[in-house]
């Protein structure tokens, strides 16, 4: 227990201390909200979609969480490179508890990030319904855990940060753009629909959007079941790969 | 003659705390550790010497569960560390050759983190942290981020951290490299004291051969992945007809510089560029 706590605490301290990272990770979602929200707003309205900011905000909140969570997971690679990971790996505690502590730490940071973006969205003109906030919170938490877990799993396999751009461009970006964060998943070409449906983030965003605006494409139950199942599987794989790290 | 024989029998019946049998580690087709076997008895201070690239760190990494041996067996305090990693990790502490601090945390936080991971009870932890940080003269810098430290200060902090919990076996991989002579002396007195008072077995590497001559009960000399000789410092000097352990070391390992290992290092960097292990 104390192991999990101290690892969690470390992630938080590191994050709070790096101001540049905090500001940077809020900048991008803010840009998306303002540029896309106001830019595409009129077209979306004309096409009969209603208020675009209402639609976009849950997607951008999820995006903030996705990016931060992935990064927090992949950060293990830095620890590998700068040597600190050795210190944790030889400690008389199970690798499982190390992995859990780190993942919870990363997920907490990602979740906090999501909350900040949520508040920014409110300031920009997002008008959600507030009675299902706890459901929103659960989906945000699941997204945080899932992508921190994926980051951890990947970091266990790579030796340095050189692969990071590759992961950004071929995993994180597609996960975001093909998730229904920016556009509704109805009436798309079948291939895109198929891809969107196999993207776990789609279910997270759909669940959040449902709870915040009352419109869901897949239904809460499906959203929750799919996301939770994938999260459990990913964390299990992550824990396995993490336990096999050699330095 | 008789004494030496008696001493050997004595050592043979003492329980060994580290037992290594036919240990092999290969990286691709390069063999870093080649069929190495040795024992370390409880309470010994055992020096593991060898030129650059001999395979010392690789051996220590296998002994401390960071690397899986290609083949061979390792017992630490009676436990097979390949099958029972968690149990093995409960019995040792280590100071690594390479940096292993968290630069973004303060010196004190690094110590605290270690103490919590190693289950040192809070009151004792706080007391020892203060003692040890005073010992390495870093207490007045305890709240500074480690990234603001000099190389020697980081090294001193790592040593202090390694001594925070008192394990059964303490692995020290070139603990004193980069330290000034005063600090080196100081650190060695502390380690010898820990060995005497608490019976902590010490397994260390160093390139300061006089440290081994001073502190070690026994010495093993490794070169090109194999142990070329072992014994007490006196035995090695006698065998090689040398006046100091350093002379004996040079006679046993030759005078040539280790170009092969430089080649292997370059290959390793090359492999990294291509993103593979
Ligand atoms: N991960 C790795 N991949 C490939 N080769 C490696 C790896 N780790 C070590 N080696 C090689 O194994 C050999 C032994 O290295 P090791 O670090 O054990 O030497 P050492 O005895 O500790 O040397 P030093 O005194 O310089 O610390 C070297 O030739 C090194 O290049
Ligand atoms: Mg070494």
């Amino acid at each position: 227990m104390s192991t999990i706590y101290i690892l969690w605490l470390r992630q938080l301290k590191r994050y709070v201390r790096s101001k540049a990272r905090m500001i940077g990770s809020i900048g991008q979602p803010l840009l998306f909200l303002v540029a896309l929200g106001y830019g595409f707003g009129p077209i979306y309205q004309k096409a009969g979609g209603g208020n675009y900011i209402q639609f976009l905000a849950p997607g951008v909140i999820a995006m903030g969480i996705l990016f931060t969570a992935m990064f927090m997971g992949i950060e293990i690679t830095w620890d590998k490179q700068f040597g600190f990971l050795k210190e944790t790996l030889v400690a008389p505690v199970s690798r499982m508890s190390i992995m859990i502590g780190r993942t919870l730490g990363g997920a907490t940071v990602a979740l906090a990030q999501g909350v900040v973006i949520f508040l920014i969205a409110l300031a920009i003109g997002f008008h959600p319904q507030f009675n299902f906030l706890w459901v929103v919170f659960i989906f945000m938490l699941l997204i945080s855990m899932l992508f921190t877990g994926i980051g951890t799993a990947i970091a266990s396999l790579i030796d340095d940060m050189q692969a990071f751009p590759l992961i950004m461009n071929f995993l994180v970006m597609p996960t975001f753009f093909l998730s229904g964060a920016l556009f509704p998943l109805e009436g798309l070409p079948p291939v895109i629909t198929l891809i969107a449906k196999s993207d776990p983030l789609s279910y997270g965003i759909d669940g959040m959007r449902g709870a915040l605006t009352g419109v869901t494409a897949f239904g809460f139950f499906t959203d929750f079941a799919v996301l939770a199942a994938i999260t459990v599987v990913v964390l299990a794989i992550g824990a396995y790969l993490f336990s096999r790290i050699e330095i | 003659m008789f004494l030496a024989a008696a001493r050997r029998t004595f050592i043979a019946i003492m329980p060994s705390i580290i037992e290594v049998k036919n240990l092999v580690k290969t990286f691709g087709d390069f063999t870093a550790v080649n069929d190495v076997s040795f024992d370390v008895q409880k309470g010994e201070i055992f020096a593991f010497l060898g030129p650059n690239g001999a395979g010392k760190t690789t051996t220590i990494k296998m002994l401390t569960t960071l690397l899986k041996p290609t083949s061979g067996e390792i017992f630490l305090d009676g436990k097979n560390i390949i099958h029972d990693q968690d149990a093995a990790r409960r019995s040792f502490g280590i100071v690594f050759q390479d940096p292993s601090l968290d630069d973004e945390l303060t010196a004190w936080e690094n110590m605290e983190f270690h103490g919590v991971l190693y289950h040192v009870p809070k009151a004792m932890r706080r007391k020892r942290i203060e003692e040890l940080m005073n010992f390495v003269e870093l207490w007045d810098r305890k709240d500074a981020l480690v990234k603001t430290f000099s190389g020697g200060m980081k090294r001193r902090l790592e040593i202090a951290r390694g001594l925070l919990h008192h394990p059964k076996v303490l692995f020290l991989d070139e603990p004193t490299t980069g330290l000034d002579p005063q600090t080196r002396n100081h650190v060695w007195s502390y380690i010898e004291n820990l060995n005497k008072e608490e019976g902590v077995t010490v397994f260390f590497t160093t390139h300061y051969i006089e440290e081994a001559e001073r502190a070690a009960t026994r010495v093993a000399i490794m070169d090109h992945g194999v142990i070329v000789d072992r014994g007490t410092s006196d035995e090695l000097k006698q065998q090689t007809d040398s006046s100091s352990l350093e002379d004996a070391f040079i006679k046993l390992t030759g005078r040539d510089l280790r170009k092969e290992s430089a080649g292997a290092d370059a290959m390793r960097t090359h492999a990294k560029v291509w993103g593979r292990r």
Side-chain angles (χ1 to χ4, degrees), chain B residues 213-226:
Chain B
E213 196 160 11
R214 160 182 169 175
T217 46
R218 281 194 303 153
V219 178
I221 295 181
M222 191 178 198
D223 198 8
H224 300 297
V226 297

Side-chain angles (χ1 to χ4, degrees), chain A residues 10-108:
Chain A
R10 167 174 179 256
Q11 295 294 95
L12 257 61
K13 279 188 173 160
R14 282 175 66 94
Y15 191 71
V16 170
R17 277 175 199 168
S18 109
K19 300 278 181 302
R21 229 164 82 191
M22 266 168 102
I23 295 166
S25 53
I26 289 171
Q28 197 167 19
L30 184 65
L31 182 67
F32 268 76
L33 269 178
V34 174
L36 295 184
Y38 291 125
F40 284 125
I43 302 175
Y44 191 78
Q45 188 109 40
K46 261 184 226 153
N51 185 338
Y52 188 48
I53 299 245
Q54 290 296 98
F55 180 84
L56 181 66
V60 172
I61 296 168
M63 164 185 149
I65 299 177
L66 164 72
F67 283 23
T68 307
M70 269 307 238
F71 190 82
M72 293 301 286
I74 289 183
E75 210 192 14
I76 293 176
T77 310
W78 286 104
D79 284 352
K80 236 189 228 179
Q81 237 176 319
F82 293 108
F84 186 71
L85 191 63
K86 292 195 290 272
E87 154 79 359
T88 42
L89 291 186
V90 296
V93 293
S94 71
R95 294 221 172 156
M96 190 64 163
S97 58
I98 298 175
M99 149 91 185
I100 292 174
R102 287 197 70 115
T103 307
L104 285 177
T108 305

Side-chain angles (χ1 to χ4, degrees), chain A:
Chain A
M1 219 39 227
S2 55
T3 309
I4 294 177
Y5 170 73
I6 197 92
L7 278 147
W8 174 85
L9 188 65
R10 167 174 179 256
Q11 295 294 95
L12 257 61
K13 279 188 173 160
R14 282 175 66 94
Y15 191 71
V16 170
R17 277 175 199 168
S18 109
K19 300 278 181 302
R21 229 164 82 191
M22 266 168 102
I23 295 166
S25 53
I26 289 171
Q28 197 167 19
L30 184 65
L31 182 67
F32 268 76
L33 269 178
V34 174
L36 295 184
Y38 291 125
F40 284 125
I43 302 175
Y44 191 78
Q45 188 109 40
K46 261 184 226 153
N51 185 338
Y52 188 48
I53 299 245
Q54 290 296 98
F55 180 84
L56 181 66
V60 172
I61 296 168
M63 164 185 149
I65 299 177
L66 164 72
F67 283 23
T68 307
M70 269 307 238
F71 190 82
M72 293 301 286
I74 289 183
E75 210 192 14
I76 293 176
T77 310
W78 286 104
D79 284 352
K80 236 189 228 179
Q81 237 176 319
F82 293 108
F84 186 71
L85 191 63
K86 292 195 290 272
E87 154 79 359
T88 42
L89 291 186
V90 296
V93 293
S94 71
R95 294 221 172 156
M96 190 64 163
S97 58
I98 298 175
M99 149 91 185
I100 292 174
R102 287 197 70 115
T103 307
L104 285 177
T108 305
V109 169
L111 189 62
Q113 195 79 50
V115 171
V116 172
I117 298 166
F118 185 36
L119 296 177
I120 292 175
L122 289 180
I124 281 180
F126 178 45
H127 298 293
Q129 54 185 37
F130 286 103
N131 36 350
F132 290 113
L133 270 189
W134 63 275
V135 179
V136 181
F137 192 77
I138 288 176
F139 277 104
M140 285 169 70
L141 185 66
L142 280 175
I143 300 174
S144 308
M145 296 288 291
L146 170 60
F147 288 101
T148 312
I150 293 181
T152 307
I154 295 173
S156 307
L157 293 174
I158 61 176
D159 280 343
D160 53 45
M161 284 303 251
Q162 296 193 23
F164 190 65
L166 209 69
I167 294 157
M168 275 315 276
N169 289 325
F170 288 97
L171 190 68
V172 182
M173 287 303 185
T175 299
F176 168 60
F177 281 112
L178 299 171
S179 65
L182 302 177
F183 47 79
L185 294 178
E186 285 107 37
L188 299 171
V191 183
I192 306 289
T193 310
L194 189 71
I195 297 177
K197 280 194 173 168
S198 47
D199 180 347
L201 189 62
S202 301
Y203 299 89
I205 292 178
D206 192 55
M208 282 172 66
R209 193 172 276 144
L212 285 167
T213 65
V215 193
T216 105
F218 307 129
F220 278 129
F221 183 74
T222 312
D223 286 336
F224 180 78
V226 171
L227 199 60
I230 296 179
T231 305
V232 169
V233 170
V234 162
L235 289 179
I237 294 174
Y240 172 73
L241 293 176
F242 187 77
S243 75
R244 285 171 34 110
I245 291 184
E246 290 189 57
I247 297 180

